[in-house]
Amino acid sequence: MNSLIKRLKMQFDVEEQTQRSNLSFINATALQLPALLTHLRDYEKYTQLIFLTAVDRIEDNQFQLTYMLADESSQNNIGVRVRIDRENAVMTSIAHLWHHARTYQQELREMFGIDFPGSPGVNDNFILEGWEEIPPMRRDFDTREYSEKTYFPRPGRSTTHPRTAMKAVDPDYPELPLMKGRVK
Amino acid sequence: MKSTENKIIHPLENAGVPEDQRHLYCDASPRPYPALNKYVERFLNWARANSLWILGYGTGCGAIELRPLLTSRFDISQYGMNPRPTPRQSSVFIIGGYLSVKTLKRVIRSYEQMQNPKFVVGLGSCTVNGGMYWDSYNTVNRLDYYLPVDVYVAGCMPRPEAIIAGFEKLKSTIMAGQAEGANEYAERFDWYKSNQKKIIKDWDMPDYNW
Amino acid sequence: MYIATKAFYLFVSIIVALVWGLTVNGIVRKIVARVHGRIGPPVWQPFIDIIKSNAKRSMIAHGVMFYFGPVFRFAGGLGTYVFIPAVFGSVVFENLSFSGDLLLVMYFIFFGQLGMALGAGEGGHPASAIAVGRGLAQMTAFELPFALSIISLATQYNTLSITDIVAAQQAGVMSWTVFTNPLATFAALFALLGMNMHSPFDIVIAPQEIPLGPPTEYQGSLLGMLHTNRGIFVSAKLILFMNLYFGGALNLPILMVKTFAIYMLSVVVGVAFPRFRADQSIRFFLGVPTVLGILALLIQ
Ligand code: SF4
């Protein structure tokens, strides 16, 4: 793993972050991503794209894409992280490197609204059919509000937080600050 | 719930299908079928209750509890129930758990293909009020807004015993002649359709898929 | 007067055959369930199923042929039965047998399938089309050993009348065809396995892969008719085999015992073997059973 990172650093402008002996992440820029992935696939035996996923970094106004690759012979994984602009979310397609990437890209297009120009079928429906709101996985989309507005919620629903429920039966249950969440 | 208004039979628009294909589809809305003579109906209801053919819709996780019902442990064939692979022949529609908008569309299609005395069993909390996916962007909360449900089996997920108890409940409802979901669907067709269309945004099928 | 009595007897005979066929079906379902370690449906379940199918209020049709499918099938089952003398020497159960009835019965056995193929085709379900293709192919395959066996029988007894064949077997157990002409019997029994469509030959109705095959689109009273036919047809087939190979029956209880025993062959094979693929099934019928049939023919 370390030697690989060293070799990569000689050719690309990347920062690395090793998590386990067989798993590292490198941060790359969107521009050098296709070259980096091609290099990993063709010269470093990272021939398998395990997944491609996105995280909405709404605080930085960015999306973070993670391309996870695997080298089957050495069982090593490497994740390539790329940040792209959130407002104008467009990323280069990698469907020519791995054919199945088109499915991930189609999903990201639908769930996050990230466009991958040239990826086959990227604008087709993936799971949502006829979605009209902002893409549901963006963090500024309020699923609860949408659900209450759309799906005829049944009145009388009550929710108990596990901790309060446990406190009632077991007084020694540890007192921790309740998580701030949507649970009432 | 709204009161049952008298429905005016009018041809359906089928606005969802392309105009040049509209003539291929039927535009009649379903109509309620009156029950027969009291004693005949009682006998037929007995037969219906004792020969429930199941159409299982198992995309929700709760449907995993349907499988043990068919095998030796909780064999439901002893109650005269049988899984049936086609909606045309089945009389009980089991919704095994949560429905997303996408699956609801398929469920409606299957339901409408079933023939008149037809019953719906909602399995799991998800069909009752959305269960743990109640605030999801994509999960319907109340099944009874889209299909007439006869029996709900609550639980996440309900044990096979609970499901069998649900079937027993369904049987007694049928024998009492109160399981008229199909007629209710026909009578309040407009209401059900408007609910369905409210959440299924790309309605690309005929309005009534018999 | 004669015709009226005859019609009445025929009616009684058909009802008995129907009830017995359905009961056998119910018993067999129970037995299969027990083999699986289940409790199984009650024996009268097939009757309830028929009532409930007919109690459906609405019905979907796909055209005229769609109605004719079950009607043809039913006519096939009925036709098969009414030309078989069910109980040897009985007035009530001799049905409409006449001197050439064997050929007619053979024709009727396959008539229903053809009618069903037309109806299922009109239903328009792709799985039905697949199943019809499979069904006709398998039918052609098992008809071969069956026909060879029948020809062998016809040469052996020098007649085409079922009554005469039964009469020739009345000299005692050793005069049954199964002992006098075992090759023909076994060829025909293999064909019976195919006809009964239990596993391993249930490629036509395979519920898991092609939802029930031809009857996929059928519901309500049409399905009820198909199920009724199943009762009659099962009786008819079993009685035919009993008559041809196992010495016929002198009264109803013997008929019941014998037909049940013959059916058990299908059931035992059915619970023991998984389903063939369509091509395997056809190869099977064109293999050993056909060779047996040819041998039976050569020996005669
Ligand atoms: S009720 Fe529970 S088990 Fe059933 S579908 Fe919903 S989440 Fe799954």
Side-chain angles (χ1 to χ4, degrees), chain C residues 148-149 151-153 155 181 183-184 290-300:
Chain C
L148 287 170
S149 162
I151 298 173
S152 163
L153 237 62
T155 19
N181 194 349
L183 290 181
T290 309
V291 173
L292 280 180
I294 295 175
L295 283 181
L297 200 56
L298 290 181
I299 289 174
Q300 283 311 313

Side-chain angles (χ1 to χ4, degrees), chain C residues 82 111 128 143 179 223 229 253 260 287:
Chain C
V82 295
F111 175 74
S128 309
E143 194 175 354
F179 297 112
L223 186 70
N229 167 65
F260 189 72

Side-chain angles (χ1 to χ4, degrees), chain C residues 134 203 276-286:
Chain C
R134 289 178 175 195
I203 54 170
F276 273 150
R277 287 202 314 262
D279 58 328
Q280 290 171 328
S281 155
I282 291 162
R283 277 207 196 102
F284 174 82
F285 282 121
L286 296 184

Side-chain angles (χ1 to χ4, degrees), chain B residues 60-63 96-98 123-127 130-133 155-158:
Chain B
C61 35
Y98 54 78
L123 225 60
S125 317
C126 279
T127 52
M132 64 179 179
Y133 302 112
C156 180
M157 45 200 56

Side-chain angles (χ1 to χ4, degrees), chain A residues 117-166:
Chain A
S119 175
V122 72
N123 288 323
D124 294 354
N125 279 340
F126 184 65
I127 291 177
L128 309 172
E129 293 179 336
W131 187 258
E132 288 166 354
E133 309 282 317
I134 59 171
M137 286 290 170
R138 292 199 173 205
R139 272 167 61 201
D140 47 3
F141 174 76
D142 190 338
T143 58
R144 177 163 175 193
E145 188 196 300
Y146 179 74
S147 169
E148 276 172 0
K149 187 176 80 194
T150 318
Y151 295 121
F152 310 107
R154 188 183 288 274
R157 184 186 176 97
S158 66
T159 314
T160 319
H161 194 278
R163 191 164 287 120
T164 32
M166 286 308 293

